[in-house]
Amino acid sequence: MQQDVSSLSPEGQDNASPHPQTSQIRRLVNDYPTSNPANEHNKTPAKTRRRTPIMDRIAAKTDFNGPIHPEGPHKGRCNCFRGTQSESGTGSGIIHGYHPITGKSCMLSVPRVVYEHHHGTTIPDGLVVRHTCDNRLCCNPDHLILGTHADNMRDKVERGRSSAPRPHINALKCQQVVDMRTKGATHKEIMARTGASRTWLKNFLKRQDQPAPLPLFDGPAILH
C-alpha cells in the first residue's frame, strides 16, 4: 500500500490524522472563499480607507431649520445637532473624532469643532464656547462666541437658567410669588405677572417647600 506523501512531515514521520476524512476537509476549507466575491473590488485596508470628514458627519446629523435666534430673524436659525449628546451636564452635542494633538480616538464637542473649523483657529486653553442663542444643541457658527467659564456662568444667571434669583427678582417679587401661589395661581400666571423664568420659579417654589432648619441650641452646655 502506497503511503500518501502529503501526510509525511519533513523528517519523514507520519503525521496523518486518525480520521480519514481530515485531508479532504482541509482541502475544502482551503478552496472555500474567505470573502464575498461581490466585494472583491473593495480590497483597501481599513487603516488606509478615506474617512468621511468630520464636518460632513456633523452636517448629516444637523437640523438646519431650528428655532429663530432670540434677538431676531437677522441672526438666523439655530442649527440643532441631533446626534449623541454629552452626559456631563452640558447637554451639548458630541461626535467621534481624533484629538488634534495626540491623534487618539476620542469624543469631541460639536460646538468646539464647528467654531474651530469656521474660524480656522484652535481654541486657547481656559476658554469655552458660549451660545448667544441659549440653545445648547445649536452649532450655527454665527451663534457661537468664546469666553471664560465665568462669562458662561454669568450668561446662565442673566438668562434665568440658574437657581439663583435674577437681578430684577427682588424680595418684594419673591413675596408676591408666594402670595400668588397661596391663592392658587398657576406657574404660567406667575411668570406672566412677575417676569420670572420657568426654571427660577420651579427652583424657588422647591426651596419654599423645604422645612426650615432647626434653631441652634444656645442654652448651657451639658457635660457628661
Side-chain angles (χ1 to χ4, degrees):
M1 179 177 177
Q2 186 177 3
Q3 190 177 11
D4 188 5
V5 181
S6 62
S7 63
L8 295 177
S9 65
E11 291 77 9
Q13 299 177 356
D14 190 358
N15 293 331
S17 173
H19 302 287
Q21 297 180 350
T22 301
S23 59
Q24 182 180 0
I25 294 175
R26 288 176 178 174
R27 287 195 297 269
L28 292 175
V29 171
N30 293 334
D31 296 339
Y32 189 82
T34 57
S35 60
N36 189 348
N39 296 331
E40 289 297 326
H41 64 282
N42 188 8
K43 289 295 185 180
T44 307
K47 292 185 178 180
T48 60
R49 291 176 188 168
R50 179 179 178 272
R51 299 189 182 100
T52 303
I54 190 170
M55 291 302 299
D56 293 345
R57 292 191 283 123
I58 292 177
K61 300 180 180 181
T62 300
D63 179 15
F64 294 92
N65 294 321
I68 300 177
H69 195 282
E71 296 181 9
H74 65 282
K75 290 285 188 177
R77 291 183 174 271
C78 292
N79 300 338
C80 299
F81 183 74
R82 300 305 184 188
T84 306
Q85 299 181 20
S86 173
E87 298 180 356
S88 62
T90 60
S92 60
I94 54 176
I95 193 168
H96 176 266
Y98 298 89
H99 196 276
I101 299 178
T102 62
K104 294 183 178 180
S105 175
C106 62
M107 301 302 292
L108 302 175
S109 171
V110 172
R112 292 180 69 93
V113 173
V114 172
Y115 185 93
E116 292 180 345
H117 182 271
H118 181 74
H119 294 277
T121 182
T122 303
I123 299 177
D125 294 338
L127 296 182
V128 298
V129 177
R130 300 155 56 199
H131 294 79
T132 60
C133 57
D134 206 25
N135 185 354
R136 298 178 179 179
L137 298 179
C138 179
C139 56
N140 187 341
D142 296 333
H143 298 180
L144 305 178
I145 59 175
L146 292 182
T148 62
H149 180 71
D151 296 333
N152 201 27
M153 293 298 100
R154 190 181 305 110
D155 295 341
K156 180 179 179 180
V157 174
E158 292 176 352
R159 296 169 186 173
R161 291 189 288 105
S162 174
S163 59
R166 290 188 291 179
H168 65 275
I169 304 295
N170 50 28
L172 181 60
K173 287 193 175 183
C174 290
Q175 184 61 39
Q176 185 180 5
V177 169
V178 174
D179 296 340
M180 293 181 64
R181 189 59 178 170
T182 305
K183 296 179 181 179
T186 62
H187 287 197
K188 188 174 181 180
E189 295 174 347
I190 296 176
M191 289 187 294
R193 182 72 178 273
T194 62
S197 67
R198 185 183 300 274
T199 303
W200 180 89
L201 180 60
K202 178 181 177 181
N203 293 325
F204 175 77
L205 295 177
K206 185 185 299 184
R207 290 195 299 268
Q208 299 301 314
D209 295 338
Q210 294 177 355
L214 297 176
L216 297 177
F217 179 75
D218 55 358
I222 300 177
L223 301 179
H224 296 282

